[in-house]
Amino acid sequence: MIAIRDLTVIFDDKTVLDRISMEVPAGSSFVVLGKNGAGKSVLLKVICGLVDRYGGAVEINGVDIRSFYRNRDAGAGRGTGAFTVAYVFQKGGLFDSMNIYDNIAFGLRRRGLSEEMVQSSVSAAISRVGLSGSEEKLPSELSGGMQKRAGLARAICLSPNIILYDDPTAGLDPILSDSIADLMLEIRNDLNTTSIAVTQDLKVAEKVADSVALLYGGSIVFQGRRDDFFKGDDAYARQFIEGDISGPIDSM
């Protein structure tokens, strides 16, 4: 389980996240919605240890992530409470100079696994995301949707407990977006991962989310079950769903 309590992040005297709290049960899918600049991606970066200057507390499986990441980086604390967090970047985050196979294998090689183990894991991941035959291609030779699939393959190679998706369908057409959403659901169900996805794609959110949080002005203005959000009874939720310029969310 991911537990966030009074999380506050300030950059250059600007409060990006203001005492937000949420819980994401193990094995569930949580979607964070909000306008550009609402702090959605910053939230993910805190959870995966890319941002470590914050107030409040973030725990995974009862373990404080700040101390966990520090101990891990020092070569200690790999036992009790250990977990693996995989981050799927908005644009795939692939290395331009590496072919798809080497991109997906990167994290496994960093762990020092044998090439035999790397080959087995990479082949399985490539097959799962539907990229068989693309191993020798460079990222520039793949479509945007295929690059995102490669990013997913790299994530699941690490056998993560938690997957963080940073706007996984950005720039994709509705059909490709739907296929990525299907793949996210398949990965969660088959691998029993806990996931948090930030997005502005309401169709993807409706398809993959168990619960939803809506960020505005650094605060959570709605948090609850997916069905409750899409009922539109809440003023913030209704305005975001309908894209109306009138309502509690300013249009600027």
Side-chain angles (χ1 to χ4, degrees), residues 153-211:
R154 183 173 58 187
I156 62 178
C157 260
L158 301 175
S159 299
N161 312 98
I162 296 161
I163 301 181
L164 307 177
Y165 297 94
D166 191 354
D167 214 349
T169 61
L172 300 184
D173 63 55
I175 295 173
L176 284 176
S177 295
D178 192 60
S179 71
I180 293 295
D182 284 340
L183 187 54
M184 292 166 64
L185 285 174
E186 180 184 318
I187 289 169
R188 185 193 72 169
N189 294 334
D190 291 352
L191 304 182
N192 194 34
T193 57
T194 305
S195 63
I196 300 179
V198 304
T199 185
Q200 294 182 358
D201 191 326
L202 291 173
K203 288 187 176 180
V204 169
E206 191 167 18
K207 189 163 196 173
V208 307
D210 295 315
S211 299

Side-chain angles (χ1 to χ4, degrees), residues 18-249:
D18 188 10
R19 296 174 61 86
I20 69 169
S21 297
M22 62 176 67
E23 288 189 356
V24 183
S28 69
S29 177
F30 197 96
V31 170
V32 182
L33 299 165
K35 295 171 56 179
N36 288 335
K40 304 185 299 297
S41 295
V42 172
L43 172 63
L44 296 190
K45 289 174 182 176
V46 169
I47 295 171
C48 71
L50 294 177
V51 172
D52 63 359
R53 294 185 179 182
Y54 59 85
V58 181
E59 294 182 350
I60 298 178
N61 299 337
V63 178
D64 179 80
I65 64 165
R66 185 185 272 121
S67 60
F68 176 82
Y69 287 131
R70 287 175 180 170
N71 288 336
R72 182 202 61 183
D73 293 341
R78 297 178 183 271
T80 303
F83 51 84
T84 299
V85 179
Y87 193 107
V88 180
F89 293 89
Q90 181 181 132
K91 297 183 179 179
L94 303 174
F95 298 106
D96 293 339
S97 60
M98 292 183 183
N99 64 27
I100 296 306
Y101 182 96
D102 289 336
N103 262 287
I104 295 171
F106 183 81
L108 297 174
R109 288 172 172 159
R110 292 265 299 184
R111 289 182 173 180
L113 273 64
S114 69
E115 279 302 311
E116 183 179 0
M117 295 180 68
V118 169
Q119 194 278 332
S120 177
S121 296
V122 171
S123 295
I126 285 175
S127 177
R128 176 180 288 277
V129 302
L131 285 180
S132 296
S134 300
E135 293 88 343
E136 298 302 318
K137 293 183 178 180
L138 293 172
S140 60
E141 298 177 283
L142 300 185
S143 66
M146 293 173 76
Q147 289 182 27
K148 289 181 184 291
R149 286 176 177 268
L152 281 172
R154 183 173 58 187
I156 62 178
C157 260
L158 301 175
S159 299
N161 312 98
I162 296 161
I163 301 181
L164 307 177
Y165 297 94
D166 191 354
D167 214 349
T169 61
L172 300 184
D173 63 55
I175 295 173
L176 284 176
S177 295
D178 192 60
S179 71
I180 293 295
D182 284 340
L183 187 54
M184 292 166 64
L185 285 174
E186 180 184 318
I187 289 169
R188 185 193 72 169
N189 294 334
D190 291 352
L191 304 182
N192 194 34
T193 57
T194 305
S195 63
I196 300 179
V198 304
T199 185
Q200 294 182 358
D201 191 326
L202 291 173
K203 288 187 176 180
V204 169
E206 191 167 18
K207 189 163 196 173
V208 307
D210 295 315
S211 299
V212 171
L214 177 61
L215 283 178
Y216 173 63
S219 299
I220 295 176
V221 294
F222 176 92
Q223 184 172 181
R225 297 186 309 166
R226 173 195 58 200
D227 291 347
D228 291 335
F229 177 82
F230 282 99
K231 283 179 183 176
D233 293 338
D234 177 86
Y236 286 95
R238 182 170 60 253
Q239 184 186 359
F240 194 81
I241 293 166
E242 295 176 355
D244 197 336
I245 61 171
S246 299
I249 301 174

